[in-house]
Amino acid sequence: KITLTASMILNESAVGDATRLVDEQSAAGNPKGGTGGAPATIWDTGWNSIYYPASVVIDLGTNYALSDIYLYDSDWGGSGVTVSSGTPFSWTSRFTDNLSNSPDNWVGHAVNFTTRYLQLKIDGCCLNASEIVLYGTPQGTPAAP
């Protein structure tokens, strides 16, 4: 499990508090291992359509070979979230999840790519992802905070 902190978050949209996607990493537990907790805070971007699409970048500080990405679905559905990798202004879409599973559920995605940056983009209101958990192996020495 990769340690994620608020200092790794860049809210490209400047709407809502995007650090809420990583503010409960301890409570998140180990969803891949079947012991995921129940995070409660949500990156709330509001209902106004002028705020969308909304996006956030996670800077991991060095390249990681990512193996799994977990999102905590804290409600029924909502707009989709697209996870991309690459560098700012040059993204490759990896998957989109509508988070339409039952509420209060971890949704896992097996992945196989190396990146320093991830972008999460939501198309419309009602994203209900409380937390993101990443798994992977560092491919270099992380930059000093």
Side-chain angles (χ1 to χ4, degrees), residues 15 42-54 75-81 97-99 121-129:
V15 178
I42 298 170
W43 173 33
D44 182 6
T45 53
W47 290 87
N48 194 325
S49 63
I50 65 170
Y51 297 144
Y52 301 99
D75 203 345
W76 290 100
S79 62
V81 58
D97 192 325
N98 290 328
L99 295 178
K121 183 179 281 190
I122 56 175
D123 296 326
C125 78
C126 312
L127 174 70
N128 296 310

Side-chain angles (χ1 to χ4, degrees), residues 25-110:
Q25 292 290 291
S26 293
N30 181 9
K32 183 177 179 178
T35 58
T41 61
I42 298 170
W43 173 33
D44 182 6
T45 53
W47 290 87
N48 194 325
S49 63
I50 65 170
Y51 297 144
Y52 301 99
S55 59
V56 61
V57 172
I58 302 173
D59 179 356
L60 299 173
T62 193
N63 281 330
Y64 276 81
L66 296 179
S67 60
D68 295 274
I69 298 175
Y70 279 77
L71 298 167
Y72 190 76
D73 182 0
S74 59
D75 203 345
W76 290 100
S79 62
V81 58
T82 299
V83 176
S84 299
S85 65
T87 58
F89 307 108
S90 181
W91 299 109
T92 299
S93 176
R94 297 299 179 165
F95 65 86
T96 298
D97 192 325
N98 290 328
L99 295 178
S100 58
N101 295 301
S102 60
D104 303 324
N105 187 37
W106 282 101
V107 180
H109 297 271

